[in-house]
Amino acid sequence: MPPDVQQVPAATVARLPLYLRCLEELEQTKVETVSSSRLAELAGVNAAKLRKDLSHLGSYGTRGVGYQVAHLMRSIRFELGLDEQSPVIVIGLGNLGQALVNHAGFGDRGFPIVAVFDIDPNKIGRRVEGVDTAVEHLDNLETVVAAHEARTAIITTPVGAAQSATDRVVAAGITSVLNFAPTVVQVPEGVALRQVDLALELQILSYYQPRPETSPEHGARDENLRAAR
Ligand code: NAD
């Protein structure tokens, strides 16, 4: 990125898709303008934070009117690079891989799943609903990635295969990795990585569960939580 281009903070980037979804819902109900406080309420964030986030896009809204829904959607889509289709490949066609491939929502949002890879001989060559091509062996990775100009890979292999699968997709030219295997994989500089782990989310939620006061530490924790609300 050229040095004079301001980089949008990662936390802001992570919230932009949420704002976009809220704006899409507003547009569907024919709403043309929205105030920052209303959009913040819909997105479940603080209004000052939302205004700061959108200022990184050069969107400040108009006092007393708010933001133009269609214009703000275009700005966010542009910033996120959602203007064109971005082909995705899936590595590991097990329970989760199959569920993701079956989900039509990715294609609708500009992320068509163009190929699926596995190493199980019983799966290779099989047709899968939701993908135009049959399941490919991992050995064909480079050819398929190049043919489809795919940039993103979803990793749904067992933990033990996640790092090697990541290394292989990166070597094949993939520059964005979405890892579902519950392990931290490493990627080289220049490759974007997101990890999705629902068990981890449940563990975070667990912290907020009321618990019996079995120890002084628990008592102090609940006290802090009450104070934070
Ligand atoms: P699964 O065992 O049903 O499927 C794994 C698939 O990967 C199999 O088809 C297997 O042949 C294939 N595979 C193994 N090594 C491979 C390799 N090197 N290259 C390509 N394919 C390979 O498992 P699952 O239930 O679908 O789960 C997949 C992964 O997702 C696991 O790591 C699991 O822990 C994880 N998972 C994550 C979440 C989450 O919230 N992120 C939820 C459920 C499962």
Side-chain angles (χ1 to χ4, degrees), residues 45-108:
V45 303
N46 169 295
K49 188 185 276 181
L50 174 131
R51 281 193 291 271
K52 178 105 175 67
D53 283 343
L54 297 180
S55 72
H56 291 294
L57 277 57
S59 291
Y60 297 94
T62 309
R63 189 172 283 278
V65 178
Y67 299 93
Q68 298 288 336
V69 170
H71 181 266
L72 189 53
M73 283 171 64
R74 273 197 303 278
S75 302
I76 295 178
R77 285 207 180 106
F78 176 79
E79 197 64 43
L80 291 173
L82 300 179
D83 290 338
E84 49 188 60
Q85 296 265 306
S86 182
V88 176
I89 59 169
V90 172
I91 314 293
L93 187 71
N95 295 309
L96 184 56
Q98 181 74 66
L100 295 177
V101 168
N102 285 350
H103 177 55
F106 304 124
D108 292 348

Side-chain angles (χ1 to χ4, degrees), residues 71-147:
H71 181 266
L72 189 53
M73 283 171 64
R74 273 197 303 278
S75 302
I76 295 178
R77 285 207 180 106
F78 176 79
E79 197 64 43
L80 291 173
L82 300 179
D83 290 338
E84 49 188 60
Q85 296 265 306
S86 182
V88 176
I89 59 169
V90 172
I91 314 293
L93 187 71
N95 295 309
L96 184 56
Q98 181 74 66
L100 295 177
V101 168
N102 285 350
H103 177 55
F106 304 124
D108 292 348
R109 291 194 164 267
F111 297 94
I113 295 176
V114 293
V116 180
F117 294 84
D118 209 291
I119 50 164
D120 182 346
N122 295 318
K123 294 182 179 171
I124 291 157
R126 227 175 66 187
R127 306 294 306 187
V128 193
E129 203 181 321
V131 188
D132 287 341
T133 56
V135 181
E136 298 270 1
H137 193 280
L138 213 53
D139 289 346
N140 298 338
L141 200 56
E142 284 77 6
T143 318
V144 176
V145 166

Side-chain angles (χ1 to χ4, degrees), residues 11-12 14-26 39-40 42-47 49-54 57 72-73 76:
T12 297
R15 285 187 288 270
L16 291 180
L18 181 60
Y19 301 150
L20 181 58
R21 185 168 295 177
C22 297
L23 289 163
E24 284 167 351
E25 284 170 13
L26 287 171
L39 187 54
L42 290 171
V45 303
N46 169 295
K49 188 185 276 181
L50 174 131
R51 281 193 291 271
K52 178 105 175 67
D53 283 343
L54 297 180
L57 277 57
L72 189 53
M73 283 171 64
I76 295 178

